[in-house]
Amino acid sequence: MGIFKKIFGDYSEKEVKRVMPLVEKINNLEEEISKLTDEELRNKTADFKVRVQDGESLDTLLPEAFAVVREASKRVLGMRHFDVQLIGGIILHQGRIAEMKTGEGKTLVATLPAYLNALTGKGVHVITVNDYLAKRDSEWMGKLYRFLGLTVGLVISGMDPAEKQRAYASDIIYGTNNEFGFDYLRDNMVIYKNQAVQRELSFAIVDEIDSILVDEARTPLIISGHANKSSELYKKANDFVRRLTPKIIVEEDLKDFEQAEDNEKYDYIVDLKAKSATLTQKGIKKAEQSFNIENFNDIENSELVHHVTQSLRAYGVMKKDIDYIVKDGEVLIVDEFTGRIMYGRRYNNGLHQAIEAKENVKIADESKTLATITFQNYFRMYDKLSGMTGTAMTEEEEFREIYNLDVISIPTNKPMVRIDQNDVIYKNENAKFRAIVEEIKESHKKGQPVLVGTISIEKSEKLSNILKREGIPHEVLNAKFHEKEAEIIAQAGKYGAVTIATNMAGRGTDIILGGNSEYLALQEMRKRKVPEELIEQATAFNETDDQAILEARENFKTLKAKYDETIKDEKEKVIAAGGLKIIGTERHESRRIDNQLRGRSGRQGDNGESRFYIGLDDDLMKIFGGDMITSVYNTLGADENIPIESKMISNAVEKAQKRVEGRNFSIRKNVLQYDDVMNVQREIIYKQRKEVLDGQNLKNNIVSMIKSTAHEVVSMYTDEHSTNKEALVQDISNIFGIDISEQVNELKSQDLANLVEEKALEIYEDKEKEIGTDEIRELERVVMLKVVDQKWMDHIDSMDELKNGIGLRAYGQKNPVDQYRIEGFDMFDEMVANIKIDVVKLMLHLQKREEIKREQTIRITKAAQEALNSINFESSQEPKGNTEEGTKANTTVVNNEPKVRKK
C-alpha cells in the first residue's frame, strides 16, 4: 500500500489541493471585508439571501460568505479561522467528512458551512453528542450568527413542543442526535399538523460523526408504550437462573468432543464472543422440574422460555459496572465506547427487566414499540449530510458504503510532535497494572500530567484503588461521576495531575496544558459563595441586561485573567516535563477509540506522549487468540513482570481489532438491512399520515377503498365452483352494513361485488348529506389517523416478532434478510388490506353526534408522553388542544358494530 501511495499520492492530499484555490480566494477578500463597518458586514447576510433567491448557487457565494464569517468571528469571538479550518469548512459544505485532529477547532469550522447553507432559509442542523456541548456551542457560536443577522435555536431533552417549534424555525439549530431522531418519530405520531416541530431535513453537520453514525448505529431509536406484562415471571425466572451453574466459553471453537461432553456438567453455557447464554440438557431438565412442566420447549411455554433466556443473558453476558450500573434504584446502560451513561435508553425484548430482577430493583413494565428508526436511515433522509471528527479513516469504508460519504483528512495547523510509544505487553493484568502504577509514579514525580484511559468503570475503579494505596492523588472520571465530567477533564493537563477516565469520557472538551483558567475562576467564585445560577450565567454567551449577571461575568473575566497568568508558568513547567502523557490500560475493540484516546494529547503543536499497556488476559486477547499468544509467551520463558516487545503479538492485536471492527460493521449492516425493509413501509405510512395532517381531501381515497374492499371481500368467499354464502353475508353486513342475503343466491360474484359497491357508495353519500360536507371531511381524517396508527403499531410488533424468529430460516438454506423482506411485505400488504376494511367499516357505520375529536391512539411511556404532550397550539385553520385531550368540533365517530374479522 505504501508504494502505491508514493506513486499515486494520497487521496486526501489531492482533495485538499483541489480546494486550495478557494482558500486563496477567501484570503484575497480578507482585506476588503475587514474595511466594512459592523452594519455593512451584517447587511451582507440580507444581500446573500437575495442572491440565493435570484438563483445564485451557494458554491459561487462560498468565498465571500466564508470571508464574512471569518471577519465576524474576529470581531465577535476574537478568533480568526486558520487556513486549515477554511479547508475543513469547504469539505463540510461539499457534504463530506472532515477528519481533523483534537484541538484543531472543529466547533469554529462548523460556523462556515452552517452560515452559508442557512442562507437558503431551510435550516441547518448542527448535531452534537450531548446536551452540554449543544448548549455550549449554540451560545458560544450563536453570538457570531446573531451578529450576522441569523437566528439560532437549541433542541435538547426536556423542552416542550412549543419551545422546540420556535427552535426548529431558526436558521441554525443545535441539538443532539437522539433528540433530532426522536423528534422525527414523534412528529409522525402527532394528530394535528401544528403539533409537529421539525421542518424538512435539509443539511446536517454532525460533530463527532464517528460516535453518532458508527458507535451508536447498532441501537435503533425506539419510542415505547406500556405492554403491561407482569413482572412476576421475571422474578420467577431470576430465582431459577441465579441457582444455576454456568460454563463460560471465551474461545470460538470447541476443540474436541470431550469438551462438548464436559458441557453437560453445567446448567448453561455462556459464549462471551457471541454474547449468548443457552441452557444445556441438564439445565432444561431443571427448568421442567422447577416450573412443573413436561416439555420446556413446547410452544405453550414460549413466554417462559423467553423470560428464562433473557435472565440467562442478564447473568451470563451482562456485567455490572461494565455494561450497566445501578444508580438510585435504577439500571442504567453504559455506552461501551464512551463510558457514558445512556440516560433514557433501555435494553429491549425484556432484557432490561431481567437485569432489574437480577439487581433486585423495581421491575418496569415491558414496553411495546410504537415507532422506531435506525440512525442510519434517519440521517440518510437529509438532502445533504456532513460531519467532523478526529478519527474517521478506520471506518472510511462504512461511511462510504452506508452513507455515501467521503472522508478527507485535513492537515493540522501546527505540526504534530506527540511521541507515540510502542505497546508494552505483559503476561497478565496484575503485572500490567503494577507497571502502569510505576509509570504513573515516575511521571507524577516530575510533574508530568497523566491521563489514564480504561475501557470500563470496573477497571477505572480498580486502578483508582491501587493509586490510593500508593498515595498518588488523582481524579476519576467515569459514568458514575458524569456530572463532574467537564470540570475534571478541563484540569487533566495541570502540572502533576493524574486523571483516570473511561476512554472517551470528556470528549468535546480540550485538555489545556497547565490547566484551565476558566475552571479555576469558577472554583474561586464558588469559594466566594456566589449563587450557582449566577456562576452558570457567568460563562454563558447569551445577551442580558440583568445587572447581577453582568456583574458576575465581569468578576469571572477578572479572575480568569488572574489565573491566565498563573497558568502560563504552569504550562511551561508541563512542557518541560514532557507534556500530557496518555496511558491506555488495554486496547479497545476499535482502533478508532484507541486513536481518540491518543488524540487527547498533542493538540495545536503541544508536546506529549502516549503508550498502551496490554495484558494477555485482556478481554480482546482472550477472545481473539490469547491462548496462542500465551503459549508463545510461555515458550519464551519470560518472567510475568518483564515486558516483551514482539512484532507477532503487536500484529495479533491489530488483527484482533480489525476482526472486531469487521464484525461490528456486519452487525450494524445487518441492523440496517432489516430496517431498510421497515423503512420502505415506514415512508409509505408516514406519507399517508402527512397527507391527512396537511388537510388533504380524502373523499377520493375513501371511495377507492370502498370499491376495492367490496370486490376483495366478495372474492375472498367465492371461487369458480362454490361460495361460502353464510360467511359472505355476515362479513358484508359487518363491514358495509348491507344485507345481501337475498341476492347472494341469485347473482354471480362479480355482480354481487358491483351491487355491494353501489349500495356502499349510496350509504356514504347519505352520510355526507346527514353530517355535512366539512364535518365528514374531518371525520375521514380522524378515522384514517386512528386506523393507520393502530394498525401500524401492531405491524411494528409483528415485524419485531418476525425478525426475532427469522434466523431459523438459515437452517433451510434461505437468507434470513431475504425471507424477512418477502414475509414482511406480505404482512404489510395484509395490514394495508385491514386498514381499508376498518376505515370503510368505520365510515359507513358512523353516526352524527355533537363533537368530533382526534385522540392519541396509544398510551406511551412517561418519558415519551412528556415529550409529546403539548401546550395549547394556536392556528387559524386548526383547532387548539393537546395530544391527550384531543380537539373539539361538531361531530364524532361512533362505531357500535363488532370488530372486523381478521384474515
Side-chain angles (χ1 to χ4, degrees), residues 185-191 223 370-371 689 856 858 860:
L185 291 176
R186 288 188 285 251
D187 277 358
N188 284 286
M189 295 167 68
V190 299
I191 53 175
I223 291 181
L370 309 178
R689 275 190 114 260
Q856 209 71 45
I858 54 214
I860 63 180

Side-chain angles (χ1 to χ4, degrees), residues 385-435:
L385 178 65
S386 67
M388 312 174 286
T389 180
T391 47
M393 280 299 176
T394 56
E395 315 297 338
E396 186 178 13
E397 180 193 348
E398 182 165 353
F399 283 123
R400 188 170 282 118
E401 185 175 337
I402 303 296
Y403 303 100
N404 197 27
L405 285 173
D406 242 356
V407 180
I408 307 298
S409 181
I410 310 296
T412 55
N413 183 48
K414 293 180 180 177
M416 172 71 71
V417 296
R418 184 187 68 233
I419 301 165
D420 295 327
Q421 308 279 11
N422 291 330
D423 294 352
V424 184
I425 302 160
Y426 286 87
K427 192 170 183 179
N428 55 48
E429 186 178 89
N430 289 335
K432 176 182 73 175
F433 270 38
R434 282 194 291 270

Side-chain angles (χ1 to χ4, degrees), residues 756-768:
V756 172
E757 177 190 319
E758 184 185 332
K759 287 193 172 186
L761 290 173
E762 284 176 11
I763 294 170
Y764 186 51
E765 291 299 326
D766 289 342
K767 294 284 181 189
E768 183 168 340

Side-chain angles (χ1 to χ4, degrees), residues 215 218 275 322-323 333-340 342 454-456 503 588-589 593 660 663-664:
D215 295 341
R218 280 192 283 178
K275 294 190 175 179
I322 295 176
D323 300 298
I333 300 174
V334 174
D335 188 315
E336 65 174 303
F337 291 100
T338 66
R340 297 181 189 276
M342 300 172 78
T454 64
I455 69 163
S456 69
N503 279 5
H588 195 275
E589 284 186 352
I593 306 298
V660 180
R663 185 193 67 180
N664 289 342

Side-chain angles (χ1 to χ4, degrees), residues 507-559:
R507 188 172 182 169
T509 306
D510 277 349
I511 299 175
I512 301 167
L513 296 190
N516 189 306
S517 58
E518 285 193 10
Y519 169 72
L520 294 171
L522 293 173
Q523 289 295 84
E524 182 72 24
M525 290 174 78
R526 288 191 176 96
K527 284 178 187 172
R528 296 180 182 183
K529 308 293 185 190
V530 176
E532 198 61 39
E533 59 269 21
L534 285 180
I535 290 174
E536 189 177 327
Q537 285 295 326
T539 56
F541 298 93
N542 54 327
E543 293 180 13
T544 180
D545 296 324
D546 188 295
Q547 197 56 40
I549 293 174
L550 291 171
E551 210 172 289
R553 288 181 183 175
E554 202 53 46
N555 288 340
F556 170 71
K557 282 181 191 173
T558 305
L559 288 168

Side-chain angles (χ1 to χ4, degrees), residues 241-267:
V241 170
R242 67 185 171 85
R243 298 194 301 268
L244 301 180
T245 306
K247 177 180 179 181
I248 313 294
I249 297 176
V250 294
E251 290 290 347
E252 276 188 278
D253 54 330
L254 292 170
K255 292 187 174 68
D256 51 41
F257 178 74
E258 286 180 18
Q259 244 184 312
E261 286 279 296
D262 183 55
N263 288 347
E264 289 308 316
K265 296 176 185 174
Y266 301 91
D267 297 316

